[in-house]
Amino acid sequence: MTIHDELKQNKILLSDGAWGTFLQAKGMSPGECPELWNIDHRSDVLNIAESYIKAGSDIIETNSFGASRLKLSQYGLGDRTVEINRAAASISREAAGINKHVAGSVGPTGKMLLMGDVTELELYDSFSEQAIALEKGGADIIIIETMSALDEASIAVKAARENTECVIIVTMTFSKDPQGRFFTMMGVSPAEMVISMKEAGAHIIGSNCGNGIEDMIGVVKEIKAADNNIPVMIQANAGTPEFIDGVTVYRETPGMMASFVPQLIKAGVNILGGCCGTTPEHIRQMGKALGR
Ligand SMILES: [Zn+2]
């Protein structure tokens, strides 16, 4: 069944939790390229994917958030872009089997059009190459996530939509200002995101990372107010990151995150998972709150 059919049945789908913080817990050091682990530490990455399938995820992502050529080039790994993305998707597909979904993760390039760091064509080519490799490796969804600039997100959505058959999800990262309004780092509101991302060709729109899950209720409401029909995906961090003794700590427990699930359902969420600091146990308890 395609994800569209499942969503049409009003089923709320469960996605997965963090990969980056999970890799760190498995011993990845700060200067390492996380995506090279798909090749050099394949079984550790597979173990993360399997943990989320065991926790009940209907959709798991891939360890490819920073695997665009533009980003990999910072590690001198640009020429291995296709190999790394194909490996990432094949690992998640191995864990997911044929009945669960694999969402190829695509993060920001770190280059800003606004600053003249990169051209539109360079961005498009970088995102196309990554999306094609993820699909070839076994992804049936491309998830463009942690975006804050509309222009980069639009180019990523178009590149994935025009060059693959995958379902396209895009999620941006918001924080709440003192007046209680949500904006990305680049000043984009949820309503502006919805308009631009639909125009670019996204099938599913939402938010990931940033603050904890409680603020996501307001984000879902704003998305639904802008478009009542677009499926919404939410992947919150396990709370706002705190820096203690040089270590990033996320304090929201699985139970705390799960306690907000009923309000997110009421607000209209369609796909629910976690971002930084969340673990398989967070996902399992969110699943329980969904009646699994
Ligand atoms: Zn995050």
Side-chain angles (χ1 to χ4, degrees):
M1 207 173 356
T2 71
I3 194 164
H4 294 304
D5 295 330
E6 289 171 77
L7 290 173
K8 264 186 220 139
Q9 297 174 345
N10 288 326
K11 194 178 163 195
I12 296 171
L13 300 177
L14 190 62
S15 58
D16 61 3
W19 286 66
T21 44
F22 207 148
L23 285 168
Q24 286 159 16
K26 284 183 175 291
M28 186 182 72
S29 24
E32 270 185 87
C33 171
E35 292 77 17
L36 193 56
W37 274 50
N38 296 322
I39 314 281
D40 293 347
H41 301 266
R42 192 181 195 278
S43 60
D44 285 309
V45 181
L46 179 63
N47 179 261
I48 296 176
E50 286 170 343
S51 314
Y52 285 122
I53 290 293
K54 265 189 220 129
S57 300
D58 304 304
I59 302 167
I60 56 168
E61 295 202 17
T62 58
N63 179 36
S64 57
F65 179 78
S68 61
R69 178 177 290 261
L70 286 169
K71 195 94 198 198
L72 287 175
S73 296
Q74 295 172 5
Y75 295 96
L77 294 169
D79 290 343
R80 299 181 71 181
T81 302
V82 170
E83 176 198 2
I84 286 172
N85 282 286
R86 286 189 71 142
S90 80
I91 290 168
S92 291
R93 179 53 73 193
E94 185 177 332
I98 53 166
N99 294 321
K100 310 273 177 161
H101 302 283
V102 171
S105 170
V106 173
T109 58
K111 309 254 182 215
M112 283 204 266
L113 277 167
L114 198 67
M115 306 300 288
D117 291 344
V118 69
T119 66
E120 287 192 13
L121 186 62
E122 284 167 335
L123 276 183
Y124 184 89
D125 287 346
S126 178
F127 286 130
S128 300
E129 177 185 40
Q130 187 181 10
I132 292 166
L134 287 166
E135 184 181 39
K136 288 232 168 82
D140 59 313
I141 298 169
I142 299 293
I143 179 164
I144 295 147
E145 53 185 356
T146 326
M147 286 285 164
S148 56
L150 276 185
D151 47 12
E152 184 179 25
S154 294
I155 291 168
V157 169
K158 281 185 193 145
R161 183 74 198 263
E162 289 168 4
N163 294 284
T164 73
E165 299 295 316
C166 294
V167 170
I168 311 300
I169 304 178
V170 60
T171 63
M172 298 185 84
T173 302
F174 298 95
S175 53
K176 196 156 79 172
D177 76 5
Q179 284 80 43
R181 298 169 307 183
F182 295 99
F183 292 104
T184 71
M185 220 164 53
M186 301 296 287
V188 180
S189 72
E192 287 169 327
M193 165 182 73
V194 171
I195 293 162
S196 296
M197 293 306 110
K198 272 181 66 181
E199 201 179 279
H203 299 108
I204 297 165
I205 299 177
S207 181
N208 77 297
C209 214
N211 302 323
I213 195 164
E214 189 171 8
D215 280 346
M216 290 296 194
I217 300 161
V219 174
V220 176
K221 285 181 182 163
E222 286 195 29
I223 293 171
K224 285 288 173 182
D227 185 329
N228 204 23
N229 292 315
I230 192 87
V232 179
M233 175 163 182
I234 293 296
Q235 295 193 299
N237 286 350
T240 309
E242 292 171 43
F243 301 96
I244 294 160
D245 298 330
V247 183
T248 310
V249 179
Y250 297 88
R251 289 192 186 279
E252 277 181 14
T253 63
M256 282 158 76
M257 282 191 83
S259 71
F260 290 104
V261 169
Q263 290 176 75
L264 279 164
I265 296 172
K266 208 173 151 221
V269 76
N270 303 94
I271 306 174
L272 196 55
C275 200
C276 306
T278 58
T279 63
E281 185 57 20
H282 286 84
I283 298 305
R284 201 185 65 77
Q285 293 211 21
M286 280 195 248
K288 249 172 89 181
L290 290 174
R292 304 290 176 97

